[in-house]
Every structure is written in C-alpha cells, then in structure tokens.
Amino acid sequence: MAAGETQLYAKVSNKLKGRSTPSLLDPLLAMGVPAHTALKALAATGRRTAEEAAEWLRCHGNDPSLDDPIPQEYALFLCPTGPLLERLQEFWRESRRQCAKNRAHEVFPHVTLCDFFTCEDQKVECLYEALKRAGDRTLRSFPTSVPLALHSSISYLGFFINDGPADIIREFAMAFATEASVLADCSVKACTKQLHLTLAHKFYPHHQRTLEELARAIHPSHSCQWTAALYSRDMRFVHYQTLKVLFQYKPQNVDELMLSPGDYIFVDPTQQEEASEGWAIGTSQRTGCRGFLPENYTERACESDTWVKHRTYTFSLAMDGNSRKDGDANGRLSGDFHSSPAPRGVSSALALQAMISRRSVLVVRHGERVDQIFGKSWLQQCTTADGKYHRPDLNFPRSLPRRSSGIKDFENDPPLSSCGIFQSRLAGGALMDSGVRLTAVFTSPALRCVQTAKHILEELKLEKKMKIRVEPGIFEWMKWEASKSTPAFMTRQELKEASFNVDPDYRPAFPLCSLLPAESYEEYVNRCAVSMHQILSACPQDAGIILIVSHGSALDSCTRPLLGLPPRDCGDFAQLVRKIPSLGMCFCEENKAEGKWELATPPVKTLTHGANSAFDWRNWIPGPGAQ
C-alpha cells in the first residue's frame, strides 16, 4: 500500500474507533492486491467478506476499468418487511400480469430517504457508522405503525406517508445525511418532500382503474417491520438497459462475451450501431468486460437487480441492541449480523442448532435424467436386437432395474444418468457434512425421483433406517408429460426387488389412477397443496427436515401452499420451472411463534456444472491422402 493510501485508510479507520470488526482489507493486501483495487472490490461486493471481494477480483481480471477511480453510488431506502411486503409483492406480480410492466417494477417496494450520492471506496464503512448512529438516535421515537394513504393520478399510484410519522422518518433521513457528510465527507441529500411508496408509475391511462382495484386489496394495516437499507449501484450504467442471461454461451470470436446463466449485462441502446440483427454490445457486471452477445440468450431484468445491499437498520424495540443495527452485506439477501461476529464455526453451529430444533421442508429436484442428455430416442440407443439393455455411453446407467413389462416401460419413466446419480450422491454428502437431521422422505413415483432419494439417503447412511414414502400427488403436471396416458411407474414389488427401501404402509393423498392427462393447471396446484397437507400431517410435530424429492415444478407448487401464497400465474410458473437445474432446492422453515412457514437458505450449496460434448474417436482416423 502506498504511503498516502495508508495514511488515508488509517484516518478513516480512526473515525470508527471502538468498533471491534477486523479489517476486511488486510487479507486482500496480504495477497498483494493494491489498496485502491482492494477497496474497490470490497465496495462492489457490499463489504461482506474478503473472500467475496477476492472472487470479484478474480472475475474482473480482464476488466479494463479495474484501476479507474470510479466510486459507487449509494442510496438509503426505507423498506417494508413481513405480511405487508408479501402483499406488495403480490401486487407487483398481478399488476405486471394484467397491465404489463411499468416503471415501478424496476425497483422493489421502498420509500426513498436519500437519493443516490457518491462515496469514495475507502470511506464506505463510514456510511455504515452513519446509518447506525442515525438509527440509534431515532429508534425510540420511530412510529410503531406507519400510516399509508392511497393516492392515484393518471400516471402515478402509490401510498403517501402523512403527518407525524413522516416527520420522524424525515428526521432519521436528515440525521443520516448529516452523519454521512461528517464521517464520509459525502454530499448526501435527504428527501424533504412528501414521502411515498410507489405502486405504479408511468402506466397506460386505461390501466388506472385496474391498478386501483388491485391496490385496494393491499391493507396498509398489515403488520410490518420497517428496515432502512443502504444500497449501491455502478454509476456508469445508470441509464443503460439491464439484461439477465438465461443460457450458457461460449464465445465464437474474440470480441464476444462469455455468458453464464444468471449474469447481468449492461446495454446502452444508443450505442448499438456496430451490432448486427439479433446481437447487442454490452458490458458484463460479473467480469467488467465488453463485447457482443446474442440477444435471444437474455431477457430484460429490473434496474435494481444489479444493486448491492450493504447494511440495514431495523426499527424494532423488541430486538436487542446489536441485532438491529448493521444488516447483512449480501447484495440479494437481507438479515442482521452483529457488529462483533462470532467465529465462523460457532455461528455455523448456532445456525445448525436452530435448524434442527424446528420443523423444516427441503424440496429437491431429481438429478439429471438420461433422456435429458440423449433425447427421446435414448431407449433405442441402448437396446439390443433381442431387447436387452447395453451401455452405449458412460453417462448411461450401468444397468436398469427389472420391470415386468420389459424395457419399454422406461420410455415414459426414464432413469437417472450416471451424472444424475453422481449429482444425487454429491447432494447427499453435502447434507451429511452439514449435520442436518432428516425425519422423513417423500418422493414422486417417477423412477428418477425415487433413485435420487435413495442415493441421498445412502450418503446420509440412512438407506436402511428410513423408508421412502411414494406420493403420486407431487408428480409433475400431467400436461407436461409426453404420454397421453398415466406413465407406467414401477410397482412397489418391483421397487423392492430393485433394493429401494419403500414404505409399504404409507397411504398417499392421491392414488396413481388419479393422475389424468387432461389435468388443468388449477387441478395440478390443488393436487400439490393437498399432498403437502398430507405430508405435514404424516409428520405432525417432528423437529428436523422433511425431504421431498420431486420435479422442478415442485419447488414452486409444493412450497407456495406452505407459505400461504396463491398459485403463481401459469405463464410465470412455466418460465420459472425451466430455469431450475438438477438438484435445485427450496427450503422452508416453520415459525411456530408466528404460526407460519418462511423461506430460508438451504442447508447445502447449489450444484453448477458445464456441458460435455459427445466425442467419437473415429473422427480422428486419418482419411485417404493424409500425411
């Protein structure tokens, strides 16, 4: 670190004296990263961990702007949580479905307290201290409830905050602006006008009545805990379009971008002259690199999707002094953390203990199926002339279980591929390492789901102790099945002969004969809701995890009934399910104190891998005339 930078960082640190959080900068400096670059990485990732900042630097190794002294822009928002937030999000979804997208959909529900302002990277931590001080000053006087009054005009719909509560909230915003100006030397402008929570903005006039009807279904009296959240964004791309990558793309030329699902790309609509039809020029948020990309590999994203959440302050007198102050630095997830965090091992143990002490549901998609890789003709590829199975590729399973009607029954009930088996074992091993406790296992009757459950249990050393309960009610939506009749699943006897430890005494919510090809979407989601009620009834008070192995659609259709949410729009549901990978997971925990279920972080990490092309050695045999 240069002498000048050292002095500047020391000066900033002295302003925060008394705080026990160790410096995140030191590990990066020890790696030989220049101070200004390390500070930039920390600011870009919300100053959560040195590991995340190091990973950001690794991805931005070829970023031409890495050494540019361009700071982030920051803003302070007041965000609702709890039941009110759920109703607002429901309004967001329904208003978009019925009236198309408007400007309000670009950002999450919020009240703007301070407009975007710049802060030098080395002074970002001062903003956190400013947030804490302003919050502590206002906490005792913060209103226990914030009255919201609906206001509508030809191009705006939203809630206004009136009278005394608005004055107190404005005092908090002014206190933050003052503290930030002193500690971080920033020019922060607190909002002094009418405080409002926008529901819709710049919509078509003929949609006004529909939007008003939807808005009246939101009751501002819903319980709500308000949280002040500090966000940042890259000021270079404020007026750009934001695209989200849907599919992997490997560059074919040096001037093209590498795309990975989930990446965000910034595109300036005014600078697309060089791009041919169907292509765009953009800058990757993940790598900072600029290049051409195929537009049909992306979809439009919201403006706030690329914002980074830094810290939060929750206004709740019921919480202790530490847990309400500095919030989680994660860019997508909110939550509180203590200013003096416990060692990683201790915090992990506490989280595990909390997980074990309450009832939870882990919904998992099955592993990779063989027809997903080898297509509809996979069965013809592995069947000999006399009808026996052989393995034409290593990703075909070593063998198939015996079925009374022969190998043809696998056509609409395919098994896992070899990679699918590996994926399942990998997830099971991760669950074993995390120390979770399973109390029951339920699966769809599809062979690939039963296989996935078996391999997970084997890694957990529970394959002989825990029986698999087969529940047809959580099978895939029948409309998506290629067969015009109910697939021929393996019988209990066939599963037993194939060494699947299936519970013969379990009575499912839906028998196999109830799965009809003409099933509507409404019938499907109702089937899943009834099945989830049956599953919970079968495990009434058992603390621990109920494992449900099913299809990608189950991650939505089996969790929304638990969360008390209505079925998703059919079109949105289909789009969502297409993006769920093998072994994708959703995790719900029961909050007995509040009498509800809540989404939580799954106990294991996700599984991501790339494609592997087929290879034929015969193509390498030299042809006639080869030298």
Side-chain angles (χ1 to χ4, degrees), residues 595-617:
K596 64 179 183 179
W597 287 79
E598 300 169 334
L599 276 178
T601 304
V604 298
K605 297 183 182 296
T606 55
L607 171 66
T608 305
H609 55 78
N612 191 50
S613 302
F615 176 76
D616 191 342
W617 61 271

Side-chain angles (χ1 to χ4, degrees), residues 500-560:
F500 292 103
N501 189 13
V502 175
D503 187 350
D505 300 321
Y506 175 68
R507 295 293 175 263
F510 287 83
L512 285 172
C513 60
S514 67
L515 301 178
L516 302 176
E519 181 180 49
S520 68
Y521 176 63
E522 183 179 358
E523 290 170 334
Y524 164 69
V525 294
N526 180 65
R527 163 161 64 85
C528 291
V530 172
S531 299
M532 289 304 298
H533 177 74
Q534 164 88 354
I535 288 171
L536 293 181
S537 299
C539 315
Q541 300 299 329
D542 296 343
I545 294 179
I546 302 168
L547 175 64
I548 297 176
V549 182
S550 187
H551 310 267
S553 53
L555 270 67
D556 187 71
S557 59
C558 288
T559 57
R560 290 181 77 83

Side-chain angles (χ1 to χ4, degrees), residues 74-81 84-85 88-93 96 101-114 116 196-200 226-233 301-312 330-334:
Y74 297 81
L76 186 64
F77 303 116
L78 187 66
C79 303
T81 64
L84 177 58
L85 176 60
L88 289 168
Q89 290 173 331
E90 184 180 340
F91 172 87
W92 250 245
R93 290 189 294 269
R96 182 166 183 171
K101 186 176 180 180
N102 62 69
R103 283 291 299 168
H105 290 113
E106 291 292 334
V107 187
F108 43 80
H110 71 282
V111 177
T112 301
L113 300 183
C114 295
F116 276 100
H196 57 276
L197 192 157
T198 300
L199 296 175
W226 291 89
T227 295
L230 186 67
Y231 280 85
S232 74
R233 68 184 182 187
C302 297
E303 177 185 340
S304 62
D305 286 348
T306 58
W307 294 358
V308 177
K309 181 186 283 186
H310 284 251
R311 295 293 186 271
T312 63
N330 191 335
R332 306 308 290 278
L333 303 176
S334 63

Side-chain angles (χ1 to χ4, degrees), residues 263-274:
D263 284 357
Y264 289 99
I265 310 296
F266 299 112
V267 173
D268 185 350
T270 65
Q271 297 180 3
Q272 300 301 312
E273 298 85 357
E274 299 178 33

Side-chain angles (χ1 to χ4, degrees), residues 471-493:
E471 175 53 72
I474 57 175
F475 180 63
E476 186 67 273
W477 182 16
M478 290 296 294
K479 179 181 176 181
W480 288 348
E481 285 299 300
S483 173
K484 294 185 179 180
S485 60
T486 303
F489 300 116
M490 291 182 68
T491 64
R492 285 182 179 172
Q493 184 59 34

